[in-house]
Amino acid sequence: MKNLSAFLFSILDRFMRFVELPTVYLQKKIGVQRMGYLFVAPNMVLFSLFVFLPVGLAIAYAFTGGTNMLIWDRPFVGLENFSRLLNCGSYMNPASCEFDLFWTAVHNTWWYTLLNATGTLVMALITAVVLNRLTKGKALFRSIFFYPVLLSPVVVGLIWKWFLARDGLLNALVLDLGGERTIFLLEVWWSRFWVVYVSIWFHMGFFTLIILAGLQAIPRDIYEAAKVDGTSEWRQFWRITLPLLTPNLLVVAVLLLIRSVQVFDEAWVLTDGGGPGTANTFIVQFIYQTAFSSEVRLYGLASAASVLMGLALLALTLIQVWLAKKAEY
Amino acid sequence: MLKFLTRTRHHGKMDITDILSWLWLTLGTAVIAIPIAWAMLSSLKTEAEVNSFPPSLIPQSTVNTQVEGYDKDLSVWQWTKTDGETKQVALVRRIGIKATVVDMDKPEKTFQVPISEITQLKDVHFQWQNYTDPLERFDFFTYIKNTVFVTVVATILTLLLNSMAAFALSKYKFRGKNAIFMLILSTLMLPLSVIMVPAFIVIVGLNLADNLWGVIFATVATPTGVFMLRQYMLTIPDDLIEAARVDAASEFRIYWRIVLPLCAPALAVLAIFSVIWRWNDFLWPLIVLSSPENYTLQIGLNAFQGQFSVEWHYILAMTVIALLPVTIVFLVLQKYITEGVAGSGVK
Amino acid sequence: MAAIQLKNLHKRYESIDVMHHVNIDIEDGEFVALVGPSGCGKSTLLRLISGLEDITSGEILFDGKIVNRLSPAEREIAMVFQSYALYPHMTVKKNLSFGLENLNMDRAIIEERIQKAAKLLDLLPYMDRKPRALSGGQRQRVAIGRAIVRNPKVFLFDEPLSNLDAKLRVQTRGEITKLHKKLNTTMIYVTHDQVEAMTMAEKIVVVNAGRIEQVGKPLDLFERPANRFVAEFIGSPKMNMFKAKITKVDDSGIEVTSGTIDHFTIPVISESAKIGDSVTLGVRPSHIEIAESGIPLEITQLECMGHETFIYGSMQGESEELVAHLPHHFEAEIGDTIFLRFTSQFMHVFCDKTDQAFKRIEA
Ligand SMILES: Nc1ncnc2c1ncn2[C@@H]1O[C@H](COP(=O)(O)OP(=O)(O)OP(=O)(O)O)[C@@H](O)[C@H]1O
Ligand SMILES: [Mg+2]
């Protein structure tokens, strides 16, 4: 085994000597310090292709129309995509809009974001505080609560779809308790509830971990002082923990908002593409459908929606950066 | 166990807060575990049982037996007589509330019993075919192969490319270094969902649509990886690199023989994350890949459940396959993962 | 082996000049020490010579050839770092062979060189250990070994002993000197410990704030410091300094008067000195003698080590405290007054305007 790995390594090393040759030449040409450019180059090429260029393209496409994919085949339409997206009788009523699906998605995303962010924050905070109290078994429970984070959206969607199915365990329990068998994911309000519930279930562990790190950063002696004063634990939480944690929580909250706005994967799998009807259709799904899964691929319109969402996220990000800076002091 | 559960921070009586805490933890664990456990259990049930309601907890199957004089296997039932005596019988047919059964020891004679007096016998039975069938009869083997390919190649490239960039950003002085670093960091804030349309157009432009390399290339340059590795490399003394320079090592050799081995702990963490990310990726492969022979497991599974939405026994088995690698990685490396997340705030 | 010349060497980082037009000649096979206070630019100078750092202007010549643009490897230098900079993930053996492998040397030659160096430095028992499992002294030796195996033209040392304890330092000092005798290779050695410099080097370069203050043999620097900085920097305890005025200038020297010294003639070349100029007098603690009568000193502190004695005291009319070093046993009480005698041949005079020393009239 050891011999084998040594052998493999020697082959790899010989190969790397080969790769090395041109870099040695380059190093002589441009000098040692400028070799930094060579080392960042592959990364920068990929970033340019798949991040920076798309950002530029998103903006460019947002101002073009038609269904051609190549930008030079697309007519410039100015702000038309935006104006059509924003063309509404009343923003409160998606049905009055030219693109009612977009506004339905905006409304759905808005409510989802609000509920999911609040729910996750509260649950994660409670869990983190409870975990932080533990003297034993902390690592174990931390792992348990974190585990769902590592699952894939498809897996999570399917696990819950099965759990909530007509023949699922939940219905069996409900029936057992004398309730009525319900097809949860086909009822508008139930499905919305479960989408939020599953999201919280899915992502809570991640935020718990971050809040927990914040809790552990609070110096122990502050609590010791309070204990000497005979402050009750409940009071300690409200008077010490929460105020000291607030900067952290704000950052987490904004992060949560940013993530929530992008809801798509697990909800999409869980609700079979945003159903029932459009009850769980969110903005990202709208963009995806507009660009990829509708008969006519409206890249311009999808890009315009992306740009709008990007701007919202940018605003949130700026708030987050600002809060994070403040939290450092 | 009880002692462990009741241990408190005060080394004394449990107070109300302790009770509430433990309640929360127990409830939370149940809420997390039950749906997963349920899916796992169900994945081992026969098709008939998956579709029966109310469901049984443990995967079971009916017990059948061969009885002389009958062509087909008969199901075995437990007959509880009115006087409390029990006996196993084989069911021949059912009419209304009466069942015609046969005593397995004396197969010549059939007799009738009320249905209310018999219950069907069941055995614990794991339907492993749920796992093997989709691999043989559907494309799941291809999906898994594709996913492994993407995961392995993307992870190797992620480690190489990001460590190279991190090396440049931590150990060299060149014009524009800080600008490049800020640029890379800024992409941390830019989610795929915002740029998925133009990113796909780029993929089409590169002729990588419906190609696994299209999935790989777009994901290997990660700001998280660059950032994490750069932080780690900053702790490697510059002296070491200069010593290697004096030792006639070329810059590339310094990277390959000095810096990479020394970054092994950070590379390991990034590798773990990369494997999990790539295994779980959904939205991007969904956009890039269009023909089933190129699907990754996640995409394939999603497509399958859309197409064969009643075949829950297969869907669930493949769901378990999809969560298994991640689960094993987590079980073995949970410490690194939770600490990595807490330390860098990435997931 | 190489002779090294630095010509008008200048180095600036962004907007700060850290090396100001430095000129040094180092002969082939010479052991040169660079000394100076922390932050004066010793390491920078060494790194410029090594090629790890680019020079801003000027020339570096190895054996008469300009090497400005050559890499460290091409200059064929070897360097021992203060932190040793051993590769933590490689065994001692790998540490020694890495540099040779980089040169694509033959396996057999590599093995032979390693064995030779390891024997020389007593490293054979540790060849398969990682640096982590070595003591400070052993690491040190590996670092030197790594330099030796490459048969460099020049050895560069950057404070190689500062991480060792006092005893080991003395020992290693001796070993490096021996090594130099044996290999006869040019060595440049940075240290801020002047004892190291005085005992090891054949030539000392005193650096201060990016400038060369003086270059010379160790005893030259001790006996004939070119300026106040060198006078104060070399020698421990520090040279005693006090203010004085020139009262007479002639061919036999300069006559000075201060609070305690009256019309004292010191045999230095008077050159630009004028009567009335203020100067600083310097006298080393070890050049002060105790006498029956002379300059009175009130003892404020006494350190008796048995074989030597340090006396601290104040002289009437002088603000600075004076230190005297006697190479023998001496008994006194704090508060006692003793009498000192200065010998004019051992006194130094520094011009207050330029801080330069007046040259001594050699006998
Ligand atoms: N990369 C750099 N950028 C800017 N200034 C630098 C850099 N490296 C060194 N300097 C400055 O150059 C001066 C000389 O530094 P150098 O390391 O040569 O000092 P030194 O004599 O070796 O000190 P020490 O005895 O503490 O090692 C210092 O003032 C230092 O701040
Ligand atoms: Mg230094």
Side-chain angles (χ1 to χ4, degrees), chain C residues 39 42-44 82 158-159 190:
Chain C
K42 306 181 294 288
S43 300
T44 306
Q82 180 175 359
D158 193 352
E159 310 202 20
V190 166

Side-chain angles (χ1 to χ4, degrees), chain A residues 13 17 27-29 31-33, chain C residues 52 69-71 74 101-102 104:
Chain A
D13 201 49
R17 289 233 168 196
Q27 181 180 331
K28 273 222 88 82
K29 269 241 129 56
V32 165
Q33 294 301 334
Chain C
L52 284 172
R69 295 195 42 82
L70 296 188
S71 71
E74 289 164 329
E101 282 169 21
N102 293 339
N104 286 321

Side-chain angles (χ1 to χ4, degrees), chain C residues 16-195:
Chain C
I16 323 153
D17 294 283
V18 290
M19 277 288 130
H20 300 268
H21 306 289
V22 166
N23 291 290
I24 307 177
D25 272 340
I26 296 169
E27 280 165 40
D28 189 3
E30 206 168 23
F31 194 124
V32 179
L34 302 181
V35 296
S38 186
C40 68
K42 306 181 294 288
S43 300
T44 306
L45 190 52
L46 200 69
R47 291 159 51 77
L48 290 173
I49 296 173
S50 73
L52 284 172
E53 202 80 65
D54 288 336
I55 58 179
T56 310
S57 69
E59 282 173 2
I60 301 178
L61 294 93
F62 278 32
D63 283 334
K65 280 199 285 288
I66 296 178
V67 295
N68 285 12
R69 295 195 42 82
L70 296 188
S71 71
E74 289 164 329
R75 292 182 195 191
E76 291 181 60
I77 57 109
M79 192 155 167
V80 176
F81 292 80
Q82 180 175 359
S83 61
Y84 312 146
L86 300 180
Y87 312 121
H89 58 300
M90 297 184 186
T91 59
V92 170
K93 195 169 173 179
K94 268 279 168 203
N95 262 285
L96 295 180
S97 66
F98 183 69
L100 303 179
E101 282 169 21
N102 293 339
L103 296 169
N104 286 321
M105 226 176 243
D106 201 55
R107 267 266 141 228
I109 300 177
I110 294 180
E111 192 61 30
E112 186 195 311
R113 289 231 197 140
I114 293 176
Q115 289 301 325
K116 211 170 116 196
K119 211 173 284 164
L120 185 72
L121 293 165
D122 264 338
L123 289 171
L124 284 173
Y126 319 114
M127 291 303 262
D128 292 321
R129 288 203 206 164
K130 296 257 173 83
R132 174 165 16 93
L134 298 177
S135 74
Q138 290 159 350
R139 285 180 205 181
Q140 225 295 322
R141 295 213 297 275
V142 177
I144 293 177
R146 191 170 64 179
I148 290 177
V149 290
R150 297 192 39 237
N151 281 350
K153 281 186 181 165
V154 183
F155 281 98
L156 304 176
F157 296 88
D158 193 352
E159 310 202 20
L161 306 185
S162 56
N163 284 338
L164 300 179
D165 65 44
K167 199 170 146 220
L168 211 53
R169 202 177 305 177
V170 174
Q171 189 190 331
T172 318
R173 208 157 77 191
E175 277 167 16
I176 293 178
T177 316
K178 244 189 276 165
L179 197 70
H180 177 241
K181 291 242 164 65
K182 201 170 142 102
L183 301 174
N184 234 334
T185 310
T186 314
M187 289 188 176
I188 304 178
Y189 188 102
V190 166
T191 176
H192 60 243
D193 177 351
Q194 40 142 325
V195 180

Side-chain angles (χ1 to χ4, degrees), chain C residues 167-347:
Chain C
K167 199 170 146 220
L168 211 53
R169 202 177 305 177
V170 174
Q171 189 190 331
T172 318
R173 208 157 77 191
E175 277 167 16
I176 293 178
T177 316
K178 244 189 276 165
L179 197 70
H180 177 241
K181 291 242 164 65
K182 201 170 142 102
L183 301 174
N184 234 334
T185 310
T186 314
M187 289 188 176
I188 304 178
Y189 188 102
V190 166
T191 176
H192 60 243
D193 177 351
Q194 40 142 325
V195 180
E196 253 171 45
M198 297 292 282
T199 52
M200 298 169 79
E202 292 161 342
K203 188 193 254 175
I204 294 180
V205 177
V206 182
V207 187
N208 180 33
R211 290 189 168 81
I212 305 296
E213 294 284 355
Q214 192 173 1
V215 180
K217 292 203 177 79
L219 284 181
D220 265 357
L221 297 190
F222 188 78
E223 284 168 3
R224 283 175 284 277
N227 51 47
R228 255 189 89 152
F229 178 82
V230 177
E232 286 188 291
F233 188 77
I234 301 284
S236 171
K238 242 167 73 174
M239 187 184 274
N240 296 300
M241 296 282 184
F242 26 95
K243 299 255 164 271
K245 280 232 150 37
I246 298 180
T247 47
K248 202 170 120 197
V249 178
D250 62 23
D251 285 349
S252 65
I254 296 174
E255 190 193 82
V256 292
T257 299
S258 77
T260 43
I261 306 168
D262 203 22
H263 297 288
F264 200 76
T265 305
I266 302 168
V268 292
I269 300 169
S270 46
E271 275 175 358
S272 58
K274 288 198 299 288
I275 295 174
D277 280 358
S278 57
V279 293
T280 302
L281 297 183
V283 57
R284 296 208 180 273
S286 51
H287 288 154
I288 296 173
E289 287 171 79
I290 307 272
E292 293 297 308
S293 65
I295 304 158
L297 179 89
E298 195 188 319
I299 300 176
T300 53
Q301 200 191 333
L302 202 63
E303 287 170 2
C304 303
M305 252 82 74
H307 64 292
E308 57 179 355
T309 312
F310 291 95
I311 300 166
Y312 301 80
S314 52
M315 294 187 294
Q316 255 178 7
E318 292 295 340
S319 51
E320 302 283 324
E321 193 181 54
L322 182 135
V323 188
H325 174 212
L326 307 177
H328 51 73
H329 182 89
F330 179 80
E331 264 179 49
E333 294 286 320
I334 290 174
D336 284 0
T337 299
I338 53 171
F339 297 97
L340 308 176
R341 192 171 65 212
F342 297 160
T343 316
S344 63
Q345 291 98 299
F346 291 133
M347 293 197 65

